[in-house]
Amino acid sequence: MQFGIFTVGDVTPDPTTGREPTERERIKAMTAIALKAEEVGLDVFATGEHHNPPFVPSSPTTMLGWIAARTEKLILSTSTTLITTNDPVKIAEDYAMLQHLADGRVDLMMGRGNTGPVYPWFGKDIRQGIPLAVENYALLHRLWREDVVDWEGRFRTPLQGFTSTPRPLDGVPPFVWHGSIRSPEIAEQAAYYGDGFFHNNIFWPMEHTRKMVGLYRTRYAHYGHGTPEQAVVGLGGQVFMRKNSQDAVREFRPYFDNAPVYGHGPSLEEFTQETPLTVGSPQQVVERTLTFRDSIGDYQRQLFLMDHAGLPLKTVLEQIDMLGEQVVPVLREEFAKGRPAGVPDAPTHASLVARRDAEAQAGTGDDVAAGPETNIAEVTR
């Protein structure tokens, strides 16, 4: 199982001091967090993609390329690549380039984002969000798997005899997760292609997460990719830790109360009771995270949000030290207990190459190239 950090890259004033970091400071902090993640033995660092204040990560591949040059083992990912407003051709080329530079340590998460105004900024209509996600990914899927592509769709100019360059490393595209909090169509899309499904279960009760993941698992099996238990699932959440839980609650409360995504709504106590947000001791984080398997089954990736809401970099690095030293080793051991033999590990470039070679030798393979437009209709009736 993979464990890691994801960031949304918000530039938020520290509510305890009133100081707001500069954009440069925030960008440098995000890269320092990635290096710390590798230092403490985590597996993944993922950055969001935003094109509006108060967020700074508008160019994920630039940041991840910088991190790739300074790390050796860390898997570099995104905690959303905007499949709706980015050109699929540009995504195909940018992430294949990053894949080569990082020696295969790359995957990415497709999503629609949560900022409505971004659509017209890039010439798109937010009312077409789901159809854009479906069509753009259908094209991206082909661009990575076919050397020459002829394409005609609704939302971009046609392609004739087009070759995306560079080609994916070793002829194997980066693994794709489809991220969604509330859209069953995206779970359906992930299942159709046999890709991963990532549910960022920050805002919703665990029962909602269970239903979304359950839908994905059922449809994954329906499309013939394996059993429901073999579907590839990731979760995201936020934690804040101190040795004593009372200290954690007291220190985190002003950040929660003023957070761009949490603040000015339900109380910290209500939120921690109703959602997977965990504020307390490392042992409490371990115990709460282990309960996720009870709701959604054995899964492959757990990412934690650590740097949101104006938390100082020093505090975030302390949190990552605790995560790497006191939490993740226990989670690795406990999640491994009783894990059925048929449940796959999280995909890596090496495992995808090995699977491709095995399928080629056996004369099988995935020839899915079209998008699941008709199948999405099934789940939304």
Side-chain angles (χ1 to χ4, degrees):
M1 185 167 172
Q2 294 174 346
F3 296 91
I5 300 293
F6 76 99
T7 178
V8 295
D10 59 307
V11 180
T12 304
D14 184 331
T16 67
T17 64
R19 186 183 184 278
E20 180 177 318
T22 65
E23 290 180 326
R24 180 181 184 278
E25 288 173 330
R26 190 68 177 94
I27 292 167
K28 291 290 188 179
M30 293 163 65
T31 56
I33 288 166
L35 300 186
K36 172 62 76 169
E38 172 154 293
E39 177 188 320
V40 303
L42 302 184
D43 305 300
V44 183
F45 173 81
T47 176
E49 178 187 346
H50 295 277
H51 299 275
N52 59 292
F55 304 98
V56 293
S58 58
S59 181
T61 53
T62 303
M63 172 175 285
L64 295 177
W66 187 96
I67 295 168
R70 290 158 178 80
T71 55
E72 296 180 356
K73 298 180 180 180
L74 198 65
I75 295 172
L76 309 172
S77 190
T78 57
S79 49
T80 297
T81 295
L82 298 177
I83 189 62
T84 46
T85 52
N86 281 308
D87 184 352
V89 171
K90 188 63 171 153
I91 294 177
E93 296 186 337
D94 282 352
Y95 284 91
M97 176 69 79
L98 178 62
Q99 190 190 34
H100 282 273
L101 290 171
D103 297 323
R105 295 184 289 123
V106 173
D107 59 33
L108 67 164
M109 186 197 308
M110 301 298 174
R112 291 180 294 137
N114 59 3
T115 307
V118 73
Y119 283 82
W121 294 342
F122 288 86
K124 306 299 180 183
D125 184 346
I126 191 173
R127 295 170 295 183
Q128 300 296 324
I130 292 292
L132 277 164
V134 171
E135 181 176 297
N136 283 353
Y137 185 64
L139 174 55
L140 176 62
H141 191 272
R142 290 186 58 189
L143 290 168
W144 273 339
R145 289 163 176 81
E146 300 176 32
D147 289 339
V148 180
V149 173
D150 294 320
W151 167 267
E152 186 171 352
R154 294 173 56 194
F155 299 112
R156 77 171 322 279
T157 54
L159 298 173
Q160 295 182 346
F162 179 77
T163 299
S164 172
T165 60
R167 305 304 297 146
L169 178 65
D170 299 319
V172 175
F175 184 75
V176 169
W177 305 79
H178 299 261
S180 180
I181 296 176
R182 66 185 184 277
S183 301
E185 300 93 335
I186 303 304
E188 177 83 6
Q189 184 181 40
Y192 178 77
Y193 287 102
D195 295 336
F197 179 64
F198 190 92
H199 192 274
N200 191 5
N201 58 333
I202 286 183
F203 306 108
W204 293 73
M206 203 63 197
E207 176 62 19
H208 173 76
T209 302
R210 184 188 68 79
K211 291 179 179 178
M212 289 287 287
V213 173
L215 168 65
Y216 161 68
R217 289 188 185 278
T218 299
R219 300 301 288 174
Y220 181 94
H222 168 81
Y223 289 118
H225 300 298
T227 67
E229 294 76 21
Q230 291 173 324
V232 181
V233 175
L235 295 183
Q238 183 168 11
V239 299
F240 187 85
M241 298 170 285
R242 287 304 182 200
K243 181 179 180 180
N244 299 313
S245 59
Q246 299 92 335
D247 293 337
V249 171
R250 182 174 60 253
E251 185 175 347
F252 187 66
R253 187 181 300 280
Y255 296 96
F256 174 89
D257 289 344
N258 293 278
V261 297
Y262 293 134
H264 315 291
S267 69
L268 176 58
E269 285 73 18
E270 292 171 317
F271 221 93
T272 52
Q273 180 177 348
E274 296 296 330
T275 79
L277 172 66
T278 307
V279 181
S281 67
Q283 181 60 33
Q284 287 174 308
V285 170
V286 167
E287 292 172 357
R288 186 75 177 280
T289 304
L290 289 173
T291 66
F292 298 166
R293 180 168 59 178
D294 299 332
S295 296
I296 69 159
D298 287 278
Y299 61 110
Q300 283 73 25
R301 176 174 286 185
Q302 175 69 56
L303 300 184
F304 296 99
L305 176 62
M306 311 292 288
D307 66 334
H308 177 56
L311 284 164
L313 177 59
K314 178 178 180 293
T315 300
V316 175
L317 297 181
E318 292 170 351
Q319 294 289 306
I320 297 173
D321 275 329
M322 284 187 281
L323 191 69
E325 294 169 5
Q326 301 178 53
V327 174
V328 166
V330 180
L331 290 177
R332 289 193 198 279
E333 181 178 350
E334 293 299 320
F335 274 121
K337 293 179 180 177
R339 188 179 181 93
V343 174
D345 293 330
T348 63
H349 182 71
S351 71
L352 293 174
V353 170
R355 186 175 76 178
R356 187 272 313 273
D357 293 345
E359 289 175 349
Q361 186 173 7
T364 62
D366 180 7
D367 60 357
V368 173
E373 291 88 348
T374 56
N375 302 310
I376 283 180
E378 295 175 16
V379 78
T380 55
R381 283 182 200 152

